[in-house]
Amino acid sequence: MAEQEKLRIDKYLWAIRLFKTRTLATEACKAGRVKMNGQNIKASVVVKPGDVYQVSRGIEKKVIEVVELLYTRVESKIAVTKYKDITPLEETHAYKSMFHSPVLTRDRGAGRPTKRDRREIDDLTDNLFDEEKKDQ
């Protein structure tokens, strides 16, 4: 049972389903995308209940607190109960807003926009940013 008491951070992040594979979790630790108290940590760091980690996955940043240790990968309903997501609300909204903003593209071969097209694009983007300011 002594072996079961120690749990590496890369295995824990994989078990709670923050990373798809354990290799990705290990690489994230090596790249400095997993931090504890603002310090980069190695993949071999031992996890204890109550520890707080900052995890970056692409543009998404999460702050998690370990509630209970999880040694094997389980279904997501169970995995969510093993940690507490304490990410600040501002960071959560910033991540979600990137997916709701439209991407303005033109069809290939359409050429340069005319003056009329440019005005329509400007009106569209101005209205888009005005709505975001109203939401805040």
Side-chain angles (χ1 to χ4, degrees):
M1 192 67 181
E3 292 178 17
Q4 282 285 61
E5 292 176 9
K6 293 185 179 182
L7 179 64
R8 293 167 49 113
I9 184 67
D10 61 340
K11 188 171 182 180
Y12 181 75
L13 294 174
W14 165 76
I16 62 171
R17 296 179 168 267
L18 283 185
F19 290 96
K20 192 171 184 178
T21 65
R22 189 168 167 191
T23 305
L24 289 175
T26 305
E27 290 172 359
C29 291
K30 286 181 183 176
R33 293 190 299 263
V34 180
K35 299 176 187 264
M36 180 178 186
N37 300 329
Q39 299 285 328
N40 294 343
I41 58 173
K42 293 183 177 182
S44 61
V45 168
V46 177
V47 179
K48 296 179 289 268
D51 289 349
V52 177
Y53 298 100
Q54 297 88 22
V55 182
S56 299
R57 293 185 319 175
I59 59 171
E60 181 183 14
K61 294 182 173 116
K62 283 188 172 251
V63 180
I64 62 165
E65 180 181 350
V66 179
V67 174
E68 190 177 335
L69 299 181
L70 186 61
Y71 295 94
T72 60
R73 193 169 171 99
V74 294
E75 63 182 88
S76 61
K77 291 177 186 175
I78 298 171
V80 172
T81 63
K82 305 299 181 185
Y83 69 94
K84 190 180 348 175
D85 189 359
I86 56 173
T87 308
L89 197 59
E90 307 86 45
E91 289 186 27
T92 306
H93 286 307
Y95 172 68
K96 289 181 179 178
S97 68
M98 293 193 72
F99 290 105
H100 294 295
S101 62
V103 178
L104 301 174
T105 59
R106 290 181 52 84
D107 294 331
R108 188 175 177 98
R112 289 181 58 176
T114 62
K115 194 171 194 175
R116 181 178 176 192
D117 292 338
R118 187 72 208 157
R119 287 181 181 149
E120 290 174 357
I121 292 169
D122 288 341
D123 289 341
L124 178 64
T125 55
D126 289 342
N127 291 339
L128 175 71
F129 293 119
D130 289 341
E131 289 176 13
E132 286 182 4
K133 290 177 183 175
K134 290 177 188 174
D135 293 339
Q136 296 175 353

